[in-house]
């Protein structure tokens, strides 16, 4: 049969990540003819019933930023039972497999633009477009003063407050890329308007086109 590492790898490929120690324990139980079922426990019955667990699952699907304290109030109001936020948090992690991670953000795309992007992608696939004569340009803003979302503090030491400007200093960056290279980077601190955009194209895009695409009309 398979060894411990191979069994753990197979289980992970099926979405069940187990340590080798856990796999070794279950293999030992199986060899000792104890079966693979959980042992019967005679401890105190948990407060979170199947109905409450289903309720929690639905609430988290509605809003994945919902806090355990808020779930505590929902459960008390709907099931007339008091379950601590720590118990709910532990149940969410161990039983429902909801874990807390740092929020990641992405641009919002309207339904109309989703359709347009999908149609454009289909057209590129159908025409086998290789984008040999395309320059992709974009503009982004960079905030010069920021701190990470977490920090370390010494135990029993006063926490140091990080300064935060009400209107942080920002610069804007414009650049373009293509299969034949990249444009020079334009850094500016003005508001992007029509005249400024035209000046950027004249000073940064047109010289790049003349150099990288001399054979294009």
């Amino acid at each position: 049969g398979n060894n411990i590492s191979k069994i753990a790898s197979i289980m992970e490929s099926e979405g069940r990540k187990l340590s080798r120690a856990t796999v070794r324990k279950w293999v030992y139980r199986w060899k000792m003819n104890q079966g693979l079922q959980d042992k019967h426990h005679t401890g105190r019955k948990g407060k979170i019933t199947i109905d409450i667990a289903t309720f929690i699952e639905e609430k988290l699907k509605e809003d994945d930023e919902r806090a355990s304290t808020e779930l505590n109030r929902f459960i008390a109001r709907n099931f007339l039972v008091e379950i601590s936020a720590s118990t709910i948090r532990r149940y969410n992690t161990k039983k429902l497999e909801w874990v807390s991670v740092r929020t990641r953000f992405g641009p919002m795309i309207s339904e109309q633009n989703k359709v347009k992007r999908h149609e454009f992608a289909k057209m590129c696939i159908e025409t086998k477009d290789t984008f040999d004569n395309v320059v992709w340009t974009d503009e982004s803003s960079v905030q010069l003063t920021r701190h990470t979302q977490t920090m370390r503090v010494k135990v029993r030491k006063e926490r140091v407050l990080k300064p935060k400007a009400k209107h942080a200093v920002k610069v804007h960056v414009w650049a373009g890329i293509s299969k034949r290279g990249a444009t020079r980077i334009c850094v500016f601190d003005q508001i992007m308007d029509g005249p400024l955009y035209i000046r950027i194209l004249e000073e940064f895009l047109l010289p790049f086109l003349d150099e990288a695409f001399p054979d294009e009309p």
Side-chain angles (χ1 to χ4, degrees), residues 154-167:
K154 294 287 287 185
V155 177
R156 294 183 295 276
K157 294 289 184 179
E158 183 179 358
R159 177 177 294 186
V160 178
L161 296 179
K162 301 293 182 71
K164 183 178 181 181
K166 186 174 183 180
H167 302 288

Side-chain angles (χ1 to χ4, degrees), residues 21-22 41-42 72 97 103 109 121 183:
T22 300
H41 299 283
T42 57
N72 163 271
E97 298 183 344
T103 302
I109 304 175
T183 68

Side-chain angles (χ1 to χ4, degrees), residues 128-164:
K128 295 182 169 56
D129 196 335
T130 56
F131 306 106
D132 290 328
N133 59 350
V134 175
V135 180
W136 308 94
T137 66
D138 199 6
E139 178 254 330
S140 183
S141 300
V142 180
Q143 184 170 304
L144 299 185
T145 304
R146 68 179 296 273
H147 301 288
T148 58
Q149 295 185 10
T150 59
M151 60 178 289
R152 290 185 174 88
V153 295
K154 294 287 287 185
V155 177
R156 294 183 295 276
K157 294 289 184 179
E158 183 179 358
R159 177 177 294 186
V160 178
L161 296 179
K162 301 293 182 71
K164 183 178 181 181

Side-chain angles (χ1 to χ4, degrees), residues 111-122:
E111 291 300 323
Q112 183 179 2
N113 283 337
K114 286 181 182 179
V115 173
K116 290 182 179 179
R117 291 188 180 194
H118 185 245
E119 291 175 349
F120 176 74
K122 286 172 60 179

Side-chain angles (χ1 to χ4, degrees), residues 139-144 170-174 188 190:
E139 178 254 330
S140 183
S141 300
V142 180
Q143 184 170 304
L144 299 185
K170 293 182 179 180
V171 296
H172 311 289
V173 181
W174 177 98
F188 58 97
Q190 306 101 305

